[in-house]
Amino acid sequence: MSAADSPPPDHPEHLAPQTAAIVTGWRARWHPRIGIDRVLASGPAIVQIVVAATASFSFAHYVLGHAAPLLAATVTVSSLGLVRDARPRRVLETVIGMVVGILVAELIVLVAGIGWWQLGLTLAASLVVARFLSPQPAFAIAAAVQSAIVMVIPVSVPFVRMIDGIVGGVAALLVTALLPRSPLRTVTREGTQLLAAFDSAITTLVQALRRGDPARAERGLAKARGLQSLVDQWRAGVESGSEIARISPFLRRQRPEFQRQERVRLHLDLATRNLRVIGRRVVYLCDDRHPRPIAADLLGELAAGARLISDALGDISYEPAAREAIRAVAGRLDPSVLAGRSSAVDQTLIGALRPLAVDLMTAAGMPADEARAAIPRV
């Protein structure tokens, strides 16, 4: 194709994003960088588990005089785990499940001894009791695993393994409070990731409105629909961090920050739901392939305010700027003025931006009544 025959610069061929090769197969699964990132992310949990398991084993062995306190270590390791959600309540529930399994096994050993049929009876009894006590499947599995260990590791003194399990559980709870996994930094990173994905979804929808591009509109809607998993991940992190900060003397001063992040998360959850509504309307509007610059500009300005909220996660001093930036857009969101001569669908799109602006203002710390008052009456 000659230069004269080439499409103009604003042709969709030039506007389409460039593609890049994506590594797949075993190289994607076993790339060293992925493994290194995984180890670094689990570093605090690994340190926590090693310290707690070593301390519980040493206490049971050297202080209590137990010859092989295996359960002190296994209860600690299993109750803490490598998952991010190491909140005290979850750890305590896991500990209780394992202690229940140990107790059931100790009683059966005391009455019936050790053997293959006793093992089957112990597993059945542990699972039944655990399922009766808790709806969580992990609770029952933890009880069954520890009861099996009791059956295959005999001791001469009854209930010694019960004591070891309690020692391991206490060690897990203590290390949760005294050696926390620095959740605030992780929680802040998760909030930033959500807002980055939120910004990407809005940016794609803005491009679709500017160009009347149905394909970009569909892509923006797909991005908006994919935000919920990030919202849920952030919620779990905030809840876990708040509970740990409640009992940890080292993280107690961070409790107000966790409360602030919960407020931001709550209103951003609502904002992502409204963005999905907006995305569906943008898809419908772009079917006629007509650009809508006014709606694009307004949505783009709201995105700029959301980026300031992202900055405010790490530095609260950005919150006033975020509130004012979003308020400046919110004050102009009058569908009858902005889309007075357009179709009812165009007016509906402008109207859908109003609750999004309210959610973003409240996420930035504005009282709900004041945020609603910033929107023009219609």
Side-chain angles (χ1 to χ4, degrees):
M1 180 183 289
S2 65
D5 296 329
S6 62
D10 60 348
H11 191 274
E13 180 177 324
H14 291 298
L15 297 175
Q18 296 295 315
T19 59
I22 299 176
V23 179
T24 59
W26 68 270
R27 288 182 297 172
R29 294 192 296 271
W30 296 102
H31 193 281
R33 182 71 256 174
I34 298 174
I36 292 172
D37 291 342
R38 191 161 53 240
V39 171
L40 292 176
S42 299
I46 292 172
V47 172
Q48 195 182 57
I49 290 171
V50 169
V51 170
T54 304
S56 62
F57 181 92
S58 300
F59 181 85
H61 182 65
Y62 294 107
V63 177
L64 300 182
H66 298 174
L70 175 63
L71 288 175
T74 59
V75 168
T76 304
V77 174
S78 299
S79 58
L80 289 172
L82 288 175
V83 296
R84 269 214 41 238
D85 188 9
R87 70 184 80 184
R89 183 177 61 186
R90 190 196 65 82
V91 173
L92 179 60
E93 288 175 353
T94 308
V95 168
I96 292 174
M98 289 185 283
V99 171
V100 165
I102 296 170
L103 177 60
V104 170
E106 289 278 17
L107 292 173
I108 292 177
V109 169
L110 191 63
V111 173
I114 293 177
W116 65 268
W117 66 268
Q118 291 93 333
L119 173 61
L121 177 62
T122 299
L123 288 174
S126 298
L127 289 168
V128 168
V129 172
R131 288 301 284 167
F132 175 78
L133 294 175
S134 172
Q136 300 298 327
F139 185 93
I141 295 302
V145 169
Q146 300 304 318
S147 67
I149 293 176
V150 170
M151 295 301 294
V152 300
I153 303 178
V155 296
S156 57
V157 181
F159 299 104
V160 167
R161 291 159 299 195
M162 181 77 177
I163 297 173
D164 291 341
I166 294 173
V167 168
V170 171
L173 290 169
L174 285 176
V175 81
T176 300
L178 300 178
L179 193 64
R181 298 181 181 181
S182 301
L184 182 57
R185 183 168 48 204
T186 303
V187 168
T188 302
R189 183 170 64 248
E190 288 172 347
T192 303
Q193 289 171 350
L194 168 61
L195 280 158
F198 185 86
D199 181 68
S200 177
I202 287 189
T203 299
T204 304
L205 292 173
V206 169
Q207 292 171 349
L209 287 168
R210 290 195 192 285
R211 301 165 184 174
D213 187 340
R216 288 183 185 272
E218 291 282 0
R219 191 154 58 246
L221 176 58
K223 289 182 178 182
R225 286 171 171 165
L227 295 174
Q228 192 59 47
S229 62
L230 294 175
V231 173
D232 295 339
Q233 177 179 297
W234 192 16
R235 181 181 66 249
V238 171
E239 291 175 353
S240 177
S242 297
E243 290 194 22
I244 294 172
R246 192 174 296 120
I247 69 167
S248 173
F250 304 106
L251 298 183
R252 194 163 297 159
R253 66 183 183 280
Q254 296 180 357
R255 289 179 63 183
E257 180 58 25
F258 281 114
Q259 292 170 355
R260 183 176 77 94
Q261 293 219 13
E262 171 59 18
R263 178 253 297 165
V264 178
R265 185 211 61 79
L266 175 63
H267 294 292
L268 277 176
D269 188 1
L270 298 174
T272 59
R273 297 170 193 270
N274 280 318
L275 186 61
R276 291 195 285 272
V277 173
I278 292 168
R280 289 193 291 271
R281 290 175 179 171
V282 171
V283 168
Y284 180 80
L285 282 171
C286 286
D287 279 343
D288 62 9
R289 297 183 179 274
H290 290 162
R292 289 171 170 81
I294 294 177
D297 289 343
L298 292 169
L299 190 55
E301 290 180 47
L302 290 175
R307 286 192 286 272
L308 289 173
I309 295 176
S310 179
D311 295 335
L313 286 180
D315 185 351
I316 194 174
S317 65
Y318 282 96
E319 280 198 349
R323 290 193 293 268
E324 293 310 312
I326 301 166
R327 189 206 295 265
V329 187
R332 308 200 311 271
L333 293 178
D334 188 339
S336 62
V337 173
L338 294 173
R341 297 182 180 178
S342 302
S343 67
V345 180
D346 288 274
Q347 294 188 24
T348 303
L349 175 61
I350 301 298
L353 300 181
R354 294 159 61 91
L356 176 63
V358 171
D359 293 335
L360 291 177
M361 283 187 285
T362 50
M366 184 180 292
D369 291 343
E370 185 178 344
R372 288 190 290 267
I375 303 291
R377 293 184 177 274
V378 293

